């Protein structure tokens, strides 16, 4: 059974993406055109990405004092990806796009992440950057910056964190001051000079493209010259590495953005991770220090605009975590089939005269493989479901758009955090199956684990996602989003209880859903946020497992009735059974500390450590 067969089953059997071709935006498409895109991406990933995955890890970027040096494979992979048209795959025809459904675009991009996430990760940032500008930029900003990103002339970044602030964006110190008396009349947008530092900026410096478009969060000082405290003072700016004219042509002048250093990471090494200095005067722009930036949206709306890219990136990070887990699963499955060790246990014990058997015949190895399969294929289904919601958000009728938007609000913290934790666990199990070979560089599974470990931090840690989910998402609009999600889960449960094979699982899911609702109310029973949110991460884990159980139940019902390949059907059903029998029972333990508002962690005195 191949990864492609799993993708096809989820797209066509479960999500019925062929039906999208009935909508005007996608009317030129069919299963044949979708398959052609998937075929192309699978081929490019196999030829230009996968052979160089280890190279991207061992020959990590370095700085020669003038520019970042990358291996030739990075240039070849970037060129092949740009030429595939995937940067603009979901965009309108008139700007070079394919008007491809988001769900198909995301499925096609999984081949690159699985082949070498260290070579392909920059594309997600570029498309996200351009999509933000298409939503919040002026017409000229779209023409000059977004469309050149979609065309692959420019690549993009997101510059949020600072060395002293980390995830606490309200504490950023980068400031933006008006650039001259005519600053508001610049055709590229109100023009400012930025000064400050940004840390952990992926793809922040390279020579892969003509230019780099930095989207930078900064604060505009108030009338007293001081920065406005909190997030309300944050604005968003386009800061190109090289200055351009009103038609997007390079002027030949460098902007005042300088590489201060490269971060040498545990994994994900193929992408330069940078510390950038804005406005220090190393490259005086138009005769003076200060990086030139153009305001996006209104002053003070920076975080609101940036969330457009951040939420898209969170789903992208989750999908990347899935594919790293899947790559490890495939590697450990292949190893388990070919590695002889141990002998069958007979009623009289083991017979040393008998030949060894492949380790895949041992029940515990099957357990570890099933766990990986349930984590990775379940998470893949979740990410594709969220991508399908994006298509409803943009092309459905008014009711479907509203529903899709609310479901995406609820599911985004799970789509980011759950694969980042459990597909990392899949990578750990892949190492375990390899035994002593697993943590050597003779096999790829140790690299997959290192690459994936970053995803629990990328785009918001578990703690941040838990606070977002329990502190905001489940209580917004009087719990409207939680009620909608519960209705979706209950609809699947009602179908499943009519199916003898899945009635028991349906009842187990119903119990978990009820427990989740009760724990949510109990957490907020006192109305004290400090008490409610002290155990936000266990809540996030319980919520995520409940969502994944729902996804697996829905997928299992589809597989049960499907005429797909029998091995695929039986494998899917077995992974679903595993999740219900081994994973869903974890939920009550996580919810126990939530519903009792357990204070063990909250009241721990720092002097006791």
């Amino acid at each position: 059974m191949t990864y492609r067969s799993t993708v096809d089953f989820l797209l066509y059997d479960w999500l019925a993406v062929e039906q999208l071709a009935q909508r005007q935006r996608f009317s030129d498409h069919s299963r044949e055109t979708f398959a052609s895109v998937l075929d192309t991406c699978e081929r490019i990933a196999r030829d230009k990405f996968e052979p160089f995955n280890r190279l991207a890890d061992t020959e990590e970027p370095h700085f020669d004092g003038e520019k970042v040096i990358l291996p030739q494979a990075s240039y070849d992979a970037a060129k092949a990806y740009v030429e595939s048209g995937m940067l603009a795959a979901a965009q309108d025809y008139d700007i070079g796009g394919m008007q491809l459904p988001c769900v198909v675009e995301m499925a096609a991009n999984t081949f690159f992440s699985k082949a070498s996430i260290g070579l392909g990760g920059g594309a997600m940032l570029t498309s996200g950057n351009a999509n933000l500008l298409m939503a919040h930029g002026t017409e000229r900003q779209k023409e000059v910056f977004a469309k050149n990103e979609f065309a692959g002339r420019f690549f993009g970044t997101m510059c949020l964190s600072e060395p002293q602030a980390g995830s606490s964006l309200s504490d950023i110190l980068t400031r933006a001051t008006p650039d001259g008396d005519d600053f508001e009349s610049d055709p590229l947008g109100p023009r400012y000079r930025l000064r400050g530092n940004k840390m952990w900026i992926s793809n922040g410096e390279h020579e892969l493209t003509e230019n780099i478009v930095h989207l930078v969060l900064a604060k505009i000082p108030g009338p007293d010259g001081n920065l406005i405290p909190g997030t309300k003072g944050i604005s968003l700016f386009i800061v190109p590495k090289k200055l351009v004219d009103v038609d997007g042509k390079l002027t030949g002048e460098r902007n005042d953005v300088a590489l201060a250093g490269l971060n040498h990471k545990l994994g994900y090494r193929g992408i330069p991770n940078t510390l950038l200095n804005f406005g220090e005067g190393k490259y005086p722009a138009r005769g003076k220090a200060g990086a030139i930036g153009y305001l996006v949206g209104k002053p003070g709306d920076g975080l609101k605009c940036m969330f457009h890219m951040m939420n898209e990136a969170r789903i992208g990070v989750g999908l990347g975590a899935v594919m790293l887990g899947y790559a490890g699963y495939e590697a450990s499955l292949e190893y388990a089939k070919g590695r002889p060790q141990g002998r069958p246990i007979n009623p009289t014990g083991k017979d040393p005269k008998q030949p060894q058997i492949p380790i895949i015949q041992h029940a515990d190895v099957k357990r570890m493989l099933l766990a990986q399969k349930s984590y990775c294929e379940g998470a893949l289904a979740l990410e594709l479901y969220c991508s399908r919601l994006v298509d409803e958000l943009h092309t459905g009728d008014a009711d479907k758009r509203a529903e899709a938007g609310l479901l995406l609000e609820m599911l985004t913290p799970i789509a980011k955090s759950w694969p980042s934790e459990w597909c990392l666990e899949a990578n750990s199990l892949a190492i375990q199956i390899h035994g002593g070979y697993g943590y050597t560089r003779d096999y790829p599974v140790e690299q997959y684990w290192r690459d994936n470990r970053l995803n629990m931090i990328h785009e918001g840690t578990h703690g941040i996602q838990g606070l977002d989910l329990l502190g905001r998402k489940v209580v917004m609009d009087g719990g409207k989003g939680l009620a909608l999600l519960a209705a979706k889960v209950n609809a699947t449960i009602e179908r499943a209880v009519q199916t003898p094979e899945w009635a028991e699982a349906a009842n187990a899911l119903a119990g978990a859903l009820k427990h989740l609702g009760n724990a949510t109310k109990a957490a907020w029973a006192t109305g004290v946020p400090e008490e409610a949110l002290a155990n936000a991460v266990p809540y996030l884990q319980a919520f995520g497992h409940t969502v994944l159980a729902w996804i697996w139940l829905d997928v299992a019902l589809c597989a049960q009735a499907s005429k797909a390949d029998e091995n695929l059907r039986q494998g899917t059903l077995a992974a679903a059974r595993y999740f219900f029998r081994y994973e869903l029972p974890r939920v009550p333990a996580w919810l126990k500390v939530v519903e009792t508002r357990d204070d063990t962690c909250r009241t721990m005195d720092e002097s006791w450590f």
Side-chain angles (χ1 to χ4, degrees):
M1 188 161 41
T2 65
Y3 170 69
R4 176 62 181 274
S5 64
T6 298
V7 170
D8 286 346
F9 168 75
L10 291 174
L11 289 178
Y12 303 122
D13 292 64
W14 183 52
L15 293 174
V17 297
E18 286 176 274
Q19 295 179 8
L20 288 171
Q22 298 173 10
R23 300 184 183 182
Q24 183 176 357
R25 179 170 181 80
F26 309 127
S27 59
D28 290 338
H29 289 292
S30 64
R31 180 163 180 162
E32 286 69 31
T33 63
F34 297 156
S36 178
V37 171
L38 295 173
D39 290 343
T40 299
C41 291
E42 188 173 14
R43 175 181 53 78
I44 295 172
R46 182 180 61 247
D47 295 345
K48 298 295 185 180
F49 285 72
E50 187 175 5
F52 308 103
N53 186 49
R54 177 63 79 184
L55 178 71
D57 183 64
T58 56
E59 295 188 20
E60 61 180 305
H62 65 276
F63 183 47
D64 70 355
E66 293 295 328
K67 60 183 181 180
V68 170
I69 306 300
L70 294 167
Q72 183 60 41
S74 296
Y75 291 87
D76 295 340
K79 182 174 183 290
Y81 188 85
V82 167
E83 291 177 348
S84 75
M86 286 303 294
L87 280 171
Q91 303 305 312
D92 294 346
Y93 291 136
D94 60 8
I95 63 170
M98 305 180 202
Q99 293 188 189
L100 201 66
C102 178
V103 63
V104 178
E105 175 195 29
M106 296 292 272
N109 275 316
T110 63
F111 294 107
F112 300 104
S113 297
K114 187 162 75 73
S116 180
I117 204 160
L119 288 177
M124 177 189 75
L125 292 168
T126 299
S127 61
N129 179 308
N131 285 334
L132 182 153
L133 292 176
M134 293 300 288
H136 299 286
T138 65
E139 291 304 313
R140 181 52 48 184
Q141 288 172 345
K142 295 175 188 178
E143 288 289 332
V144 170
F145 298 109
K147 292 184 181 179
N148 276 311
E149 289 183 88
F150 287 135
R153 278 190 64 209
F154 304 164
F155 274 5
T157 73
M158 54 191 302
C159 300
L160 287 68
S161 300
E162 297 180 5
Q164 82 292 339
S167 298
S168 182
L169 297 179
S170 62
D171 295 312
I172 64 173
L173 299 177
T174 299
R175 61 172 55 214
T177 54
D179 183 33
D181 294 336
D182 64 341
F183 80 100
E184 290 186 298
S185 61
D186 195 299
L188 294 180
R191 189 181 65 249
Y192 287 74
R193 293 276 180 165
L194 277 71
R195 293 171 174 83
N197 316 102
K198 294 293 181 178
M199 177 62 101
W200 304 293
I201 309 307
S202 294
N203 249 21
E205 176 60 32
H206 56 76
E207 304 291 327
L208 295 171
T209 52
E210 292 181 40
N211 206 356
I212 302 174
V213 179
H214 300 292
L215 284 179
V216 185
L217 292 182
K219 291 186 175 182
I220 301 171
D224 59 359
N226 295 321
L227 298 181
I228 300 171
T231 59
K232 293 182 179 179
I234 298 175
S235 299
L236 180 63
F237 300 87
I238 299 168
V239 183
K241 171 185 173 180
K242 299 174 183 178
L243 297 179
V244 299
D245 64 17
V246 294
D247 296 317
K249 297 177 182 178
L250 302 184
T251 65
E253 186 176 8
R254 176 89 182 247
N255 203 356
D256 196 6
V257 183
L259 177 68
L262 294 174
N263 297 307
H264 299 284
K265 302 173 295 179
L266 173 77
Y268 241 96
R269 292 175 175 172
I271 299 175
N273 190 271
T274 63
L275 168 61
L276 299 177
N277 291 343
F278 292 84
E280 67 173 4
K282 183 174 183 178
Y283 303 105
R286 296 177 185 169
K288 61 180 181 179
I292 293 175
Y294 306 100
L295 181 68
V296 179
K298 298 178 182 178
D301 280 355
L303 208 54
K304 176 183 175 183
C305 293
M306 184 57 86
F307 263 110
H308 186 103
M309 183 175 182
M310 289 168 67
N311 284 332
E312 183 175 330
R314 283 172 175 169
I315 294 175
V317 165
L319 193 55
V322 173
M323 298 323 300
L324 284 166
Y326 212 106
Y329 165 59
E330 287 185 335
S332 62
L333 176 60
E334 181 181 6
Y335 181 83
K337 288 179 177 179
R339 168 66 170 173
Q341 189 170 317
R343 292 168 175 82
I345 300 177
N346 299 313
T348 57
K350 296 181 182 179
D351 182 358
K353 296 178 182 179
Q354 293 296 315
Q356 291 184 320
I357 59 174
I359 62 173
I360 196 171
Q361 294 183 24
H362 296 303
D364 192 57
V365 174
K366 291 180 181 179
R367 174 189 64 83
M368 290 187 283
L369 288 168
L370 259 177
Q372 291 180 72
K373 184 178 177 68
S374 74
Y375 299 153
C376 298
E377 292 184 6
L380 175 64
L382 171 65
E383 301 298 336
L384 293 179
Y385 177 80
C386 288
S387 303
R388 183 68 173 75
L389 289 177
V390 172
D391 289 317
E392 289 297 337
L393 187 64
H394 294 314
T395 64
D397 59 34
D399 290 340
K400 287 184 177 179
R401 289 186 184 198
E403 182 178 277
L406 195 53
L407 282 173
L408 276 170
E409 286 268 3
M410 294 299 301
L411 291 175
T412 295
I414 305 304
K416 188 275 169 184
S417 66
W418 199 92
S420 299
E421 179 172 3
W422 295 99
C423 293
L424 177 68
E425 175 62 18
N427 289 130
S428 182
L429 291 170
I431 292 174
Q432 189 72 16
I433 288 173
H434 279 73
Y437 290 115
Y439 49 79
T440 71
R441 294 196 178 186
D442 297 324
Y443 291 84
V445 288
E446 61 84 28
Q447 182 186 340
Y448 295 141
W449 187 93
R450 287 188 289 105
D451 286 344
N452 216 353
R453 186 58 186 83
L454 276 70
N455 286 318
M456 287 181 71
I457 297 172
H458 278 167
E459 301 308 320
T461 63
H462 263 35
I464 290 172
Q465 303 300 331
L467 292 174
D468 179 44
L469 180 65
L470 182 55
R472 189 169 75 89
K473 297 294 177 61
V474 300
V475 295
M476 64 183 181
D477 296 331
K480 186 178 179 181
L482 183 58
L484 175 60
L485 180 60
K488 291 290 184 181
V489 176
N490 278 319
T492 300
I493 291 171
E494 289 175 8
R495 288 165 46 221
V497 294
Q498 307 300 320
T499 306
E501 296 90 341
W502 293 100
E504 181 181 350
N507 287 324
L509 177 56
L513 183 64
K514 182 179 179 180
H515 196 170
L516 186 67
N518 292 337
T520 306
K521 294 176 182 177
W524 285 104
T526 63
V528 180
E530 187 179 18
E531 294 180 3
L533 300 176
N535 296 292
V537 167
Y539 181 84
L540 177 77
Q541 291 169 312
F543 199 107
H545 260 52
T546 303
V547 167
L548 264 292
W550 164 52
I551 292 289
W552 264 122
L553 186 59
D554 209 74
V555 169
L557 291 176
C558 177
Q560 190 85 33
S562 173
K563 295 181 180 179
D565 174 81
E566 186 63 14
N567 286 332
L568 186 148
R569 287 182 65 253
Q570 293 301 331
T572 299
L573 295 172
R577 287 195 298 271
Y578 176 91
F579 197 88
F580 274 91
R581 294 172 184 177
Y582 284 77
E583 296 296 330
L584 190 60
R586 297 176 187 256
V587 168
W590 282 320
L591 291 179
K592 181 68 174 178
V593 294
V594 177
E595 60 193 353
T596 60
R597 298 180 300 282
D598 186 271
D599 66 356
T600 302
C601 299
R602 181 171 59 85
T603 59
M604 177 68 181
D605 192 280
E606 63 184 67
S607 64
W608 300 345
F609 284 103

